[in-house]
């Protein structure tokens, strides 16, 4: 249990700071190309680990479908869309919107994992909707097309991430985590590189020190390290509980964005983040039956 806790803490800290590094990188590198490079670096690191451990490198027919679906949901559906949307939205606000993911996990789990939504969770979902209204409200009222477009993309990426978590829970048992992640990343890198060639044919790239360091950080730590640890955690505990622990990531994202990038933390963002974090808690925390009985006796 201590190892699982340390894994969650490390993932939370790295992903909390990742938003700043991504924002820095895509100011010099087109988003799809950056994400492709990030995934490639992460994949190379993991394949080296597999070689050192003398594990099988080939994908195997039995893994092809699972790895392909995961590469479409995570590297492409989550990371690619998210990074593209971040062009138009502050890093801190992006982290809050993307970390509505646990709320989507609750909804998808209702249908796929037989984890039914009760009244308590329903209230949590309403809180999540209120939080989104606080964050998105001003942009929809003023209708800044680029910002609204970016925010919608971030929500789509959150849904894709949630889908990947549930799919992973259903299909990745008895699979090597590093092997699965390495292939998932390399396949995603290929997909995104093709997208970059199509949508970013004449990229304006500045290989500044900040961009290079940010790309390396995202490839080695935000991708390779955290993907492996996150999937390991999901296989050790309930997906919804693991997702609840990550509600601290958007808080860190807001703080780091404010400290390093000078992004404004407005009142509506604070209130929205509070409601979303409350929603995550209510949709993931499960009261023990003994605790419920005690509450009934007290009342």
């Amino acid at each position: 249990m201590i190892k699982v806790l340390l894994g969650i803490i490390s993932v939370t800290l790295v992903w909390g700071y990742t938003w700043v590094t991504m924002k820095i990188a895509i100011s010099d590198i087109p988003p799809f190309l950056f994400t492709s490079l990030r995934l490639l670096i992460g994949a190379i690191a993991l394949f080296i680990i597999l070689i050192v451990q003398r594990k099988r490198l080939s994908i195997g027919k039995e893994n092809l479908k699972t790895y392909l679906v995961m590469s479409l949901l995570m590297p492409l559906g989550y990371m690619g869309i998210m990074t593209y949307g971040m062009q138009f939205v502050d890093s801190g606000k992006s982290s809050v919107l993307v970390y509505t993911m646990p709320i989507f996990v609750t909804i998808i789990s209702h249908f796929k994992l037989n984890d039914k939504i009760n009244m308590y969770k329903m209230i949590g979902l309403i809180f999540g909707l209120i939080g989104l209204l606080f964050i998105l409200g001003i942009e929809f009222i003023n209708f800044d097309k680029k910002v609204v477009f970016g925010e919608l993309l971030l929500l789509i990426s959150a849904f894709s991430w949630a889908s990947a978590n549930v799919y992973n829970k259903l299909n990745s048992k008895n699979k090597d985590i590093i092997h699965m992640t390495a292939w998932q990343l390399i396949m995603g890198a290929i997909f995104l590189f093709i997208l970059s060639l199509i949508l970013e044919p004449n990229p304006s790239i500045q290989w500044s020190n900040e961009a290079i360091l940010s790309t390396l950080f995202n490839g080695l730590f935000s991708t390779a390290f955290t993907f492996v640890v996150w999937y390991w955690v999901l296989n050790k505990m309930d997906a919804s509980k693991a997702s609840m622990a990550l509600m601290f990531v958007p808080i860190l994202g807001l703080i780091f964005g404010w400290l390093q990038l000078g992004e404004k933390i407005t009142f509506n963002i604070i209130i929205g983040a509070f409601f979303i974090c409350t929603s995550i808690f209510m949709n993931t925390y499960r009261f023990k039956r003994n605790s419920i009985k005690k509450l009934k006796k007290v009342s």
Side-chain angles (χ1 to χ4, degrees), residues 210-221:
E210 292 82 3
I212 294 173
L213 289 175
S214 294
T215 303
L216 289 173
F217 178 87
N218 276 269
L220 296 174
F221 294 99

Side-chain angles (χ1 to χ4, degrees), residues 109-230:
S109 297
H110 173 81
F111 298 99
K112 295 296 184 180
L113 299 180
N114 199 31
D115 188 2
K116 300 302 181 182
I117 297 176
N118 53 28
M119 183 59 68
Y120 183 76
K121 290 184 177 182
M122 182 60 67
I123 295 173
L125 291 175
I126 293 172
F127 278 5
L129 178 61
I130 294 172
L132 285 175
L133 289 175
F134 267 100
I135 294 176
L136 304 179
I138 293 179
E139 280 77 17
F140 275 102
I141 292 173
N142 298 329
F143 201 70
D144 186 327
K145 292 182 180 179
K146 288 185 177 181
V147 176
V148 171
F149 176 65
E151 290 173 341
L152 291 176
L153 287 179
L154 291 169
L155 289 175
I156 291 172
S157 72
F159 179 80
S160 185
W161 185 12
S163 302
N165 285 341
V166 175
Y167 185 85
N168 174 74
K169 191 72 175 179
L170 290 170
N171 297 277
S172 66
K173 290 182 179 180
N174 302 321
K175 295 187 184 297
D176 185 278
I177 297 174
I178 298 179
H179 186 271
M180 179 183 72
T181 307
W183 273 103
Q184 173 185 327
L185 295 182
I186 197 68
M187 293 167 77
I190 294 171
F191 291 147
L192 285 164
F193 184 71
I194 293 172
L195 271 181
S196 178
L197 291 175
I198 297 171
L199 301 177
E200 302 163 344
N202 299 304
S204 177
I205 305 175
Q206 296 181 17
W207 296 108
S208 62
N209 292 333
E210 292 82 3
I212 294 173
L213 289 175
S214 294
T215 303
L216 289 173
F217 178 87
N218 276 269
L220 296 174
F221 294 99
S222 305
T223 304
F225 171 75
T226 53
F227 269 40
V228 172
V229 174
W230 177 243

Side-chain angles (χ1 to χ4, degrees), residues 281-292:
F281 179 82
M282 293 183 70
N283 279 282
T284 53
Y285 185 79
R286 296 179 179 179
F287 290 104
K288 295 181 180 179
R289 292 182 179 179
N290 293 334
S291 299
I292 296 175

Side-chain angles (χ1 to χ4, degrees), residues 4 7 42 66 74 86 96 113 161 184 210 225 252 267 278:
V4 173
T66 299
M74 278 297 285
M86 278 190 69
V96 175
L113 299 180
W161 185 12
Q184 173 185 327
E210 292 82 3
F225 171 75
L252 290 172
F267 176 77
T278 303

Side-chain angles (χ1 to χ4, degrees), residues 253-268:
L254 286 170
I255 294 172
F256 288 138
W258 169 63
L259 289 174
Q260 188 164 345
L261 302 178
E263 295 176 349
K264 293 181 180 180
I265 303 178
T266 60
F267 176 77
N268 63 301

